Amino acid sequence: MGKYVYFFGAGQTEGKADMKNLLGGKGANLAEMANLGVPVPPGFTITTESCVEYYNQGEQLWDTLKKEVMENLARLEKAMEIKFGDNSNPLLVSVRSGARVSMPGMMDTILNLGLNDDAVEGMAAVTSNPRLAYDSYRRFIQMFSDVAMGVDGSLFEHALDGLKKKKGYKVDTDLSVEDLKALVEEFKAIYKKEKGEDFPQDPMEQLWAAIEAVFKSWNTKRAVHYRKLHSIPDTWGTAVNVQTMVFGNMGDDSATGVCFTRDPATGENVFFGEYLINAQGEDVVAGIRTPQPINKSKKKSSDEVSLEEAMPKAYEQLVEIYKRLEKHYRDMQDMEFTIQKGTLFMLQTRTGKRTAQAAVKIAVDMVDEGLISQEEAVLRVEPEQLDQLLHPMIDPKAEKKVIATGLPASPGAAVGKVVFDAEHAFEQAESGEDVILVRLETSPEDIKGMAAANGILTVRGGMTSHAAVVARGMGKCCVSGAEAINLSYQKKLFEVGGTTVKEGDWITLNGSTGEVMAGKVPTIDPVLAGDFGRLMEWADKARTIGVRTNADTPHDAKVARDFGAEGIGLCRTEHMFFEGDRITAVREMILSENEAGRRKALAKIEPMQTEDFIGIFTAMEGLPVTVRLLDPPLHEFVPHDREQQEEMARQMGVSAEKIAEKVAQLSEFNPMLGHRGVRLGITYPEIYEMQARAILKAACEVAKSGKKVIPEIMIPLVGTKAEFDVMREMVDRIAKEVFEAEKTEVPYSVGTMIEIPRACVIADKIAEKAEFFSFGTNDLTQMTFGFSRDDAGKFLKEYVDKKILPRDPFQALDQEGVGEMVKMGIERGRAQRPGLKVGICGEHGGEPSSVEFCHKAGMNYVSCSPYRVPIARLAAAHAALKEKRQ
Amino acid sequence: MGKYVYFFGAGQTEGKADMKNLLGGKGANLAEMANLGVPVPPGFTITTESCVEYYNQGEQLWDTLKKEVMENLARLEKAMEIKFGDNSNPLLVSVRSGARVSMPGMMDTILNLGLNDDAVEGMAAVTSNPRLAYDSYRRFIQMFSDVAMGVDGSLFEHALDGLKKKKGYKVDTDLSVEDLKALVEEFKAIYKKEKGEDFPQDPMEQLWAAIEAVFKSWNTKRAVHYRKLHSIPDTWGTAVNVQTMVFGNMGDDSATGVCFTRDPATGENVFFGEYLINAQGEDVVAGIRTPQPINKSKKKSSDEVSLEEAMPKAYEQLVEIYKRLEKHYRDMQDMEFTIQKGTLFMLQTRTGKRTAQAAVKIAVDMVDEGLISQEEAVLRVEPEQLDQLLHPMIDPKAEKKVIATGLPASPGAAVGKVVFDAEHAFEQAESGEDVILVRLETSPEDIKGMAAANGILTVRGGMTSHAAVVARGMGKCCVSGAEAINLSYQKKLFEVGGTTVKEGDWITLNGSTGEVMAGKVPTIDPVLAGDFGRLMEWADKARTIGVRTNADTPHDAKVARDFGAEGIGLCRTEHMFFEGDRITAVREMILSENEAGRRKALAKIEPMQTEDFIGIFTAMEGLPVTVRLLDPPLHEFVPHDREQQEEMARQMGVSAEKIAEKVAQLSEFNPMLGHRGVRLGITYPEIYEMQARAILKAACEVAKSGKKVIPEIMIPLVGTKAEFDVMREMVDRIAKEVFEAEKTEVPYSVGTMIEIPRACVIADKIAEKAEFFSFGTNDLTQMTFGFSRDDAGKFLKEYVDKKILPRDPFQALDQEGVGEMVKMGIERGRAQRPGLKVGICGEHGGEPSSVEFCHKAGMNYVSCSPYRVPIARLAAAHAALKEKRQ
């Protein structure tokens, strides 16, 4: 505990980047820039240890600290050649907090500290800019009072607004010097009224108060709460940064700007930025004046004046600095600078945000430039970002009228004419129209229409509602749960916030944001550049967990394979019961009073399903295909409205009453927890037998044509050992029969989805006979939480807003709860069967934090929608690399 | 491995009761009776070890075994003074299997072994009863062929049926001696055709084959499967019992009968039984002749002839034996005997089945007689049996016409006129009618009608459907899920199996069996004798776990307290939102667009809820009362049919459309997993605040009147730590406010229901702030299994029938799955807070095997419906005593 204060800048820097624990993130970064010879406004950092000591001292500044601050202030005065507290030419400073990690609830910045009634005059004289001086002073009073002294900031806002209103001003810059002077008086009066004493005129008094305020802000309720949530020790403390103020608004030889070492939109390796002459940072944001380009080559018209032309010397220095900084930090930098009377100061440098396209290009370029390794390049691109590259998107420059917002259920953009029923959507699309299918919610009957539409909009349902899941599977844009919409199927229109949209009207969806827009908004197609492919290759080299896809058709299988899928982790078979004539046979089965009748109907479906599987096995030649036997409850296969029931009655030659009766009999209070999955297999074994036969026959067919086929038969919704054992026995029996009849054998395996909490508990028992587990984390999340994914949308958003939950557990796997169940399942399963193959096929299989969880939990693979396969590959690489680095 | 064969009877018994492992259950029991000097037909037991050795020998009988069998056979011949294989007067034997535990799949009995074409003549001559001889022979051929030689038994049945048909006979006894002779020939022909050889005439050959058949039956598929299911080692083996045949049908000096040491219906300490002269055991069952009473005192008319009168010597001997056996076994015995030509033989003695009333009386009497201890008496009564004593029941002698069968949802019997809606049921009952409320299903709106009705019948729903749960809570008879019923509210009738029942028709329900009967069937009221009270006292002394009740009203609380409840474990508050005018205020709250409107409506309900709690706290003075805050989703409080919506609209002064819209908006796909429990508390904190205020105000009121009140506030459906913490903070805040206003303080605690799998996983985190856990095993079972209790009835019966599940998990706690989650929750919760109070308030709290589980899991108490409190008390005593004895 020797040294409390570290100087930076003016060639006398004492700290460095790796002293973050002592100097805080901000302090260490300023020191680092100064060490690199980059001109930063000099200043000093009071260590985090001082903050701890402050509390040890009973919340009082102590002598040795004060002494060190005074010494460093003197050093600063010497470097700047002006004096703190010199009313004729005052040295002004900013005071900021800076902990090891950025933390909300900590103290905000205080600027212009050192001003008082006299110094403001001095500043006005020295700068020949009374406006600047008084504006700085009134800002200082407000910030100091609010941030350091706890005076309600809105009192100052009201005073300012009152003055502007009285004068008829629109913006702050309308204020005259006299106005500002009056405001300063009013602000001081507010301070006096609130604090019962005059606004402190002694700069040292101001400084001590500001330093104490930073220390105290370490223990605000919000900061303490945040630390608790994020397990940050109370003993870390925060540092205090005291830094010389510089001004970009001291005349035409001053300026301020922001720049990037490469183009953050495209990734192109060109210097890029904007600046304003005689301005402050916030003027760039305010948008009253148009910022100018930094360099000549980026000028869009000859009216513009680049920094390169206006201040060639400063520009040259800036170029030299950006190159140094990028090389040093080995990543694209986003920098802020101020030029004060011709002198360049760098205020900040940080890793620049960028688009997905830019992230990929910069990462790959930097590998080629020898700046970073391939592994680093992989880590430089956030998996979730890739989503932008895989779908068309709304042109960011386009004008748009957002009429409603739902959930970003399936990314991309879609434009089309509104259609309210699936059949009609299909017909319209067949005839060449672009359509958007709009429904209260969707059901499996709507699949054909969903496939034909450009996009899907639903009024109800969450991120894993039927519409959302199916749309993501299809890689199709979908906005779900736009609850504000009032839809009338009868009137064929919907109404939202005063706008009425009729069938046939154009709308545009942004599935990446959940926005619904009126009319046709232009979209742009993504370009999967060669860089993308190279990056994914490096990712594949790095990752250790497999990536499969959820695909139900040969087409989806092919798309996913092109995206790099290494097999199918979930081939749902329910769609195979809907297509074409099949639904008639399925309904015949449902209406049958006995097993014989059901078998007769199923016999009609079997050859068609066999063909389906032949198509899928062929598309996935050489790769494993996990086929899930029928999962949804039977009532999903019968119509629920009277009209369709009557049509079905005519088709089947029975009375509509009989149909209605059957539908009523099949209906369930909680279909999610109903008669579905293996429960169907137990009560109607003939259904699962038919499916097993179709799968194995198809496998034999494809194998006979010389192709390698790896079928994995998956029993859904298993919750007891007996359920699985009975089904496994059935599959083995059918396999024997089929192999004998086909005179060929195909190796196959039988496993189960683990999606019921009880299955996790008895995983060891299930693993006695099961060769693989595939965690169905959608349903497992529903049951572990007791959340219906179709209903939870109503309160989940509020849960996330109120921080009851960190994230929607249907989007990112809930590792604390559901994850524990998954781990239990894996542990118990592998205790019984060490070689048990384990994967995930819930929607989480394509979500990066969940993929990382799956990697850590020791799964063999993740499986996700075709369009998320690249994301999963990259996320898997990140997980492996992060682990390696630990 | 010395001795393979043990002799019993004739004063030469070598085994005893504790040699069950070696001699099997049956062999040891026969030896025990013989040791007691009870005349059993002598015989010998081949040990279980012999069976193991048989397999070691490659499934062959070996010399030493054969030698021992021959020696024992000789001993038997000597004892009986006739010879095995003596065609003029043959010794006949039975051969039976007998493992350590009774086991299905093992070999059935073979009777009359030793008969052949010659011996049958000898038997006919010796007994002067050719009919007996040939009937015995044809039975032997059939049993031996089927059981020992694997010939399909139905071939013999067909032959017998064919003969009877040809002759126009109705019953087997119509067969003449000539018919029987012909049948013997036909049976032998069948054997020859099937086995390709003549029926074995050599008695020794028959005996060896029968012994081998028993050994082989140890490894039948069914036996192996059963052993696997019940973890019975394959190495135990089965014993073989070879016993002398005795005949009760050798003339008027012969008889057969069944008797009990005490009256199995009433428990009265009197000898009791029935017999038939010149008959075989199966004649008693066949019901062609009316059995006569054993003793004079039980004669119902002078036509009857008691054994006491007919065979006084045998009777005297039997009395002496029954006393000896009861004293020896220290329990009421159920015995079978045969008298052959004046000589009494005891064939079997076992603990007799008895009614609940008899069980209680016998247990208490035996304590008074000094025969058993109080603890033994407690263990003698099965907790589940008590149910019979706590409700009225159908007169067992009454005639009845069962028209449908549903689930035995709530025990007891009820008679009344059919009413199809709750309001009408209430009115009818008010006007003095006995009514049965018949509904497709019930909802909270029906409570008033359910309370007023004598019984409830529903078409849908399982053992834990709304109707079932509420009815059990009310101790009211209920049959649920009578799915065969076609009900039309419109036509005001239901139809089932051809019977039509209109509104106003009488029906009778048996809630203990699930039977629905036409008309008025007489019922009898139970008498809770003084014995019952004494037994329960002993039970309370023995048990260590507390028993509380689930009660929502002062009346229920009082009933439960009278039944011995030590507190309320679950006081649901939803009923408090329905009564009287409250529902109007509740609906006003639901329709409110903002918090202010909701608060206004809630303010109307608060004083009424406060009164409710005052009533309950007063009724439970001095005992803890756990109050659960509102649990059901809001849509349960709004009407779902158009007509009622219109009425509500008129009442509320809004449009019916608005109501319909709100109802639609509130509707859920899976209400069970919907917006309910603490989720309401999070989104509408004002509801829970009102309830907390009402509870604490009521507690203060009651405390001020000098009564002790122990309120425990329970937050339902918690799945995350934050949910609980937010609510706990709210309750503490409200408590502070109320205590300040009331100027008094009442100690209270705040805890949670653990009913979501995730809550078990993070129980340690929840226990940081929660003072108690109450496992809501209804919902926990639903979510752990993924079964909707309202829907699972459709397949759960099949699951139990097919042995996918051992029992309905909504009836008996699933210890393997749900139980594991419960244990995890307790373990993790107590790891965080060692003194955590833990209870159960699901329906399982009154089910004996579940109570035992709760005891073992270390819970502090179970809580159940008032009418199951005595059952839980007894079950808890059993659990403690069983543990003590281990």
Short mmCIF file of all heavy atoms in Angstrom, two decimals, chain A residues 129 317 372 585 607 660 668 679 683 780 848:
data_model
loop_
_atom_site.label_atom_id
_atom_site.label_comp_id
_atom_site.label_asym_id
_atom_site.label_seq_id
_atom_site.Cartn_x
_atom_site.Cartn_y
_atom_site.Cartn_z
N ASN A 129 -13.70 33.47 -25.81
CA ASN A 129 -14.93 32.74 -26.13
C ASN A 129 -15.82 32.69 -24.89
O ASN A 129 -15.92 31.65 -24.23
CB ASN A 129 -14.55 31.31 -26.60
CG ASN A 129 -15.71 30.65 -27.30
OD1 ASN A 129 -16.88 31.03 -27.10
ND2 ASN A 129 -15.40 29.64 -28.11
N GLN A 317 -0.88 13.14 -38.30
CA GLN A 317 -0.59 12.59 -36.98
C GLN A 317 -1.62 11.53 -36.61
O GLN A 317 -1.30 10.46 -36.08
CB GLN A 317 -0.63 13.75 -35.97
CG GLN A 317 0.08 13.43 -34.66
CD GLN A 317 -0.14 14.56 -33.65
OE1 GLN A 317 -0.65 15.64 -34.00
NE2 GLN A 317 0.24 14.31 -32.42
N ILE A 372 -3.12 -11.53 -36.61
CA ILE A 372 -3.73 -12.45 -35.65
C ILE A 372 -3.69 -13.88 -36.18
O ILE A 372 -3.47 -14.09 -37.39
CB ILE A 372 -5.20 -12.08 -35.33
CG1 ILE A 372 -6.06 -12.10 -36.61
CG2 ILE A 372 -5.29 -10.70 -34.68
CD1 ILE A 372 -7.54 -11.89 -36.37
N ALA A 585 -55.95 -40.59 -45.08
CA ALA A 585 -55.68 -41.90 -44.47
C ALA A 585 -55.46 -41.76 -42.97
O ALA A 585 -55.91 -42.59 -42.17
CB ALA A 585 -54.45 -42.53 -45.13
N PRO A 607 -46.16 -46.81 -47.60
CA PRO A 607 -45.28 -46.66 -48.77
C PRO A 607 -44.88 -45.21 -49.01
O PRO A 607 -43.76 -44.94 -49.45
CB PRO A 607 -46.13 -47.19 -49.93
CG PRO A 607 -47.51 -47.41 -49.41
CD PRO A 607 -47.45 -47.44 -47.93
N ALA A 660 -67.35 -34.53 -35.12
CA ALA A 660 -67.33 -33.56 -34.02
C ALA A 660 -67.14 -34.28 -32.69
O ALA A 660 -66.40 -33.83 -31.82
CB ALA A 660 -68.62 -32.76 -34.01
N GLU A 668 -57.97 -31.79 -25.53
CA GLU A 668 -57.27 -31.86 -24.26
C GLU A 668 -57.19 -30.48 -23.60
O GLU A 668 -57.12 -29.48 -24.29
CB GLU A 668 -55.86 -32.41 -24.46
CG GLU A 668 -55.86 -33.84 -24.94
CD GLU A 668 -54.47 -34.42 -25.17
OE1 GLU A 668 -53.65 -33.73 -25.81
OE2 GLU A 668 -54.21 -35.53 -24.73
N ARG A 679 -46.50 -42.01 -25.77
CA ARG A 679 -47.80 -42.41 -25.22
C ARG A 679 -48.71 -42.90 -26.35
O ARG A 679 -49.53 -43.79 -26.14
CB ARG A 679 -48.43 -41.23 -24.48
CG ARG A 679 -47.56 -40.79 -23.33
CD ARG A 679 -47.88 -39.40 -22.81
NE ARG A 679 -46.77 -38.94 -21.97
CZ ARG A 679 -46.67 -37.74 -21.42
NH1 ARG A 679 -47.62 -36.85 -21.62
NH2 ARG A 679 -45.63 -37.42 -20.70
N THR A 683 -50.27 -46.75 -26.73
CA THR A 683 -51.69 -47.07 -26.90
C THR A 683 -52.02 -47.51 -28.33
O THR A 683 -52.94 -48.28 -28.52
CB THR A 683 -52.60 -45.88 -26.50
OG1 THR A 683 -52.12 -44.71 -27.14
CG2 THR A 683 -52.58 -45.65 -25.01
N LEU A 780 -38.30 -29.76 -22.46
CA LEU A 780 -37.69 -29.86 -21.13
C LEU A 780 -37.75 -28.50 -20.43
O LEU A 780 -37.98 -28.43 -19.22
CB LEU A 780 -36.24 -30.34 -21.26
CG LEU A 780 -35.55 -30.73 -19.95
CD1 LEU A 780 -36.30 -31.83 -19.22
CD2 LEU A 780 -34.11 -31.16 -20.20
N PRO A 848 -25.72 -19.60 -29.38
CA PRO A 848 -24.32 -19.70 -28.96
C PRO A 848 -24.08 -20.04 -27.48
O PRO A 848 -23.30 -20.94 -27.18
CB PRO A 848 -23.75 -18.33 -29.33
CG PRO A 848 -24.55 -17.93 -30.53
CD PRO A 848 -25.93 -18.42 -30.24
#
